[in-house]
Amino acid sequence: MLSKNRVKQNYRAEKSSFGVHVKVPAPALVDVAANVGSDFVKFDQYHSPFGYEAFYAMVAAARAGGMTPWVRCRNDAYEIMTMLDMGIEGITVPNCGSADEARAVVAATRYFPKGVRESNRPVSRRGHSDKDYFEWAESEILVCVSIENKAGLENYKEIVKVEGVDVIATGRGDISLALGVPTDRDNQPEVIETQKRVLFAALDAGKQVSMTYPCTPKGMEEAAWWQEKGVRILTMETEHRVLARSYAAAFNQLKSA
């Protein structure tokens, strides 16, 4: 049987999903995520693109570990199709500026006549009939758009209502740029309140919300607050930031000994 998308399966059951960002092209890091119980792994083909061989191996490792492989990429039908053909089960497109842009993301994940995806599929799904795979793709591929640029912040009320968009995300970095306050993004009241408006609008529209937080006491406290508000998808920060923080703390302790 075709396995369900673990993230979708969780939020359909009103359960939370927890995952990690992996930006270093090393399949072993995907195994680490599986070892600690991650529900999904997010890859970044937008800001930190991997070569296709490494990317394919990491997607395969995610699936072998029972996790949903999820990627951030451009709002381009060919690129989205390529990601899906390599086994990706979740798509995030950043800086969505309008409802039409959101509908284009949805169309890129759907086969004709509902969309523009061409008739192909991952090698891992070749053992299933066209009917079974097409039905699986319709119900299990996760579509997420990030509302964070100036246009998106102007049009967010329409974007969150687009049919076929499953998840809404935001990024404080781009929100702060859009608002003209690009420094101290995590403590600017204007940035924080704008993010809240977008995400509460998404929850009110019946969408899921995805958020990313640092593995710090403050980060976990804020993530827990959003969980109480109904956020069901939480991502831990990238592995290189976790490593840098751990190494820095160890070095500082030793240097002061």
Side-chain angles (χ1 to χ4, degrees), residues 75-77 80-81 84 103-110 115-117:
N75 191 358
D76 176 87
I80 291 172
M81 177 187 69
L84 297 176
R103 282 189 279 269
V105 182
V106 176
T109 69
R110 303 290 197 267
V116 298
R117 185 181 176 189

Side-chain angles (χ1 to χ4, degrees), residues 150-199:
K150 189 173 186 297
L153 297 178
E154 293 171 352
N155 298 316
Y156 73 92
K157 292 180 181 179
E158 291 75 37
I159 297 171
V160 300
K161 297 176 182 177
V162 171
E163 184 177 357
V165 171
D166 303 298
V167 180
I168 299 295
T170 62
R172 287 184 185 171
D174 282 304
I175 290 176
S176 68
L177 287 173
L179 297 178
V181 286
T183 59
D184 198 22
R185 67 184 73 172
D186 291 322
N187 296 298
Q188 287 279 3
E190 188 179 4
V191 173
I192 294 169
E193 290 307 312
T194 298
Q195 183 185 48
K196 285 182 177 179
R197 282 198 298 273
V198 172
L199 297 183

Side-chain angles (χ1 to χ4, degrees), residues 84-85 107-108 110-112 115-121 133 141:
L84 297 176
D85 288 348
R110 303 290 197 267
Y111 291 106
F112 183 84
V116 298
R117 185 181 176 189
E118 297 174 28
S119 182
N120 196 26
R121 72 181 84 164
Y133 178 71
I141 289 173

Side-chain angles (χ1 to χ4, degrees), residues 3 19 33 41 56 77 88 99 149 158 175 187 201 211 216 226 236 243:
S3 59
V41 179
Y56 189 90
I88 283 294
N149 62 12
E158 291 75 37
I175 290 176
N187 296 298
M211 302 187 75
T216 62
W226 276 106
M236 303 301 105
L243 285 170

